[in-house]
Amino acid sequence: MRVSVSPQLVSLASRGIRRVAACPQGSFTLRTDVISTDVFTFAELSPVAQERAVEIVREKLGGVWWDQHDNDSVAAAMLYGLAGALGTPSHGDHCEDDFPGIDGVRLDGWSLDRGQCIAVSGHLDRGNAPVLPWVNGISHVTLTGRRSDYTLVWVEDDDEPVCTCDETRPPVRSVAQWRTRRPDVVRRTVLLMVAAAAEANAGNRHPDLRFGNILEPQETAPPCTPTCPTRTSPRVTAEQRSDLEQAVRDAISTAWTAGRDEMEYRTGEEYARDYVAQNDREFTADGDIYD
């Protein structure tokens, strides 16, 4: 049983106001009201009172008792769940409590009351996310967390392939091919043009004519070898890009679900009963918390 003095009486007495009882001689005597309350441990409560006590504790755990430690636990569960979905190598070597995190990735924010709202920033590659459906031609994935607890996912291509062919090889010599139904006419015309060009080049008889290289082979850059990256580099299809982006979003969704499960556990009946047992809480007969 706990005994306490009414706060109202203490307040009145501090202001010089007394609750008095009249005496036959006309004198006054200060009277103190004592309020007694029976308190119980959780085990001493009736089953009905225990159920009420658990519900009250659960409500407070998800409300006024929720603190930064709870937020940290939810964030740790999210990162650990994300690492598992991405196949991060360090995931299997640690438990959730001592997990060091994902290299190059951070959790910016989240909300468990507005659907799957989670903001993740950083980059994913074959090192920290090996189970994603990577294909040749894709370098990494950039994640950008927004203030609205949303994550933008950008699939980044590899850099443009660089030609590794030997630039010292002689250039290819080619001449334009003529196609006509009157080869005799073309031949005669070409011969006339050659003669005019020769005259122009030799004696400058026709300075305005510039046919000197009309039939000279044109030198062009040599074609790449069959194994050159500029020819063998694959091109990423829209379907491959979409599959990778969806896999990343699925992993982020898994992380949000892990955080929601942690929140539900920390406000659930099992956690509430453990909290009561570890903190020696006392209750009134009907299950209210006695403070």
Side-chain angles (χ1 to χ4, degrees):
M1 180 176 69
R2 295 291 183 272
V3 178
S4 60
V5 178
S6 172
Q8 291 82 1
L9 294 179
V10 175
S11 177
L12 291 174
S14 65
R15 290 182 292 173
I17 302 174
R18 299 180 178 180
R19 301 181 68 179
V20 299
C23 295
Q25 294 82 4
S27 61
F28 296 93
T29 302
L30 178 64
R31 187 181 69 191
T32 302
D33 290 344
V34 178
I35 302 174
S36 61
T37 304
D38 294 330
V39 296
F40 306 86
T41 65
F42 184 78
E44 294 173 339
L45 294 176
S46 66
V48 175
Q50 286 184 354
E51 292 297 327
R52 174 175 168 77
V54 168
E55 289 302 317
I56 292 176
V57 170
R58 289 183 60 186
E59 181 179 352
K60 289 184 176 295
L61 286 173
V64 295
W65 290 353
W66 187 274
D67 56 18
Q68 187 58 43
H69 175 71
D70 297 305
N71 287 332
D72 294 341
S73 297
V74 171
M78 286 184 170
L79 277 179
Y80 194 71
L82 180 61
L86 297 175
T88 303
S90 59
H91 177 268
D93 300 330
H94 300 271
C95 61
E96 183 177 309
D97 295 335
D98 65 352
F99 181 62
I102 306 173
D103 185 29
V105 176
R106 71 175 185 270
L107 180 62
D108 293 333
W110 43 268
S111 174
L112 301 177
D113 300 327
R114 297 184 290 112
Q116 296 193 4
C117 297
I118 178 173
V120 182
S121 295
H123 74 278
L124 303 176
D125 53 34
R126 291 165 175 81
N128 61 6
V131 302
L132 293 179
W134 299 103
V135 295
N136 292 332
I138 292 180
S139 171
H140 63 280
V141 175
T142 299
L143 306 176
T144 304
R146 312 297 290 181
R147 290 185 177 180
S148 57
D149 295 330
Y150 179 75
T151 303
L152 297 178
V153 179
W154 298 93
V155 178
E156 305 286 355
D157 293 344
D158 285 327
D159 295 334
E160 288 295 327
V162 179
C163 178
T164 58
C165 293
D166 186 3
E167 297 181 358
T168 62
R169 290 183 301 143
V172 176
R173 300 170 65 85
S174 60
V175 179
Q177 296 182 358
W178 296 86
R179 293 186 179 182
T180 178
R181 294 182 179 180
R182 297 294 302 276
D184 55 333
V185 175
V186 173
R187 187 180 301 107
R188 184 168 55 252
T189 302
V190 170
L191 290 175
L192 290 175
M193 293 174 65
V194 170
E199 292 180 6
N201 291 338
N204 288 328
R205 295 177 57 185
H206 304 285
D208 295 333
L209 296 177
R210 295 292 182 267
F211 303 121
N213 62 350
I214 191 171
L215 290 182
E216 291 183 3
Q218 302 297 311
E219 296 184 353
T220 60
C224 296
T225 61
T227 59
C228 179
T230 58
R231 299 183 64 180
T232 60
S233 179
R235 295 297 178 260
V236 181
T237 65
E239 182 179 1
Q240 290 172 329
R241 191 184 306 276
S242 177
D243 290 344
L244 180 56
E245 179 179 346
Q246 186 59 49
V248 173
R249 295 196 180 281
D250 290 343
I252 295 175
S253 176
T254 299
W256 183 90
T257 301
R260 183 196 59 188
D261 293 343
E262 178 66 15
M263 183 200 70
E264 292 179 350
Y265 165 72
R266 301 183 77 83
T267 58
E269 179 177 349
E270 178 184 357
Y271 189 87
R273 290 180 179 273
D274 291 341
Y275 176 88
V276 170
Q278 295 174 5
N279 291 273
D280 297 325
R281 285 285 180 175
E282 293 179 320
F283 303 87
T284 63
D286 58 358
D288 289 329
I289 298 175
Y290 179 81
D291 294 321

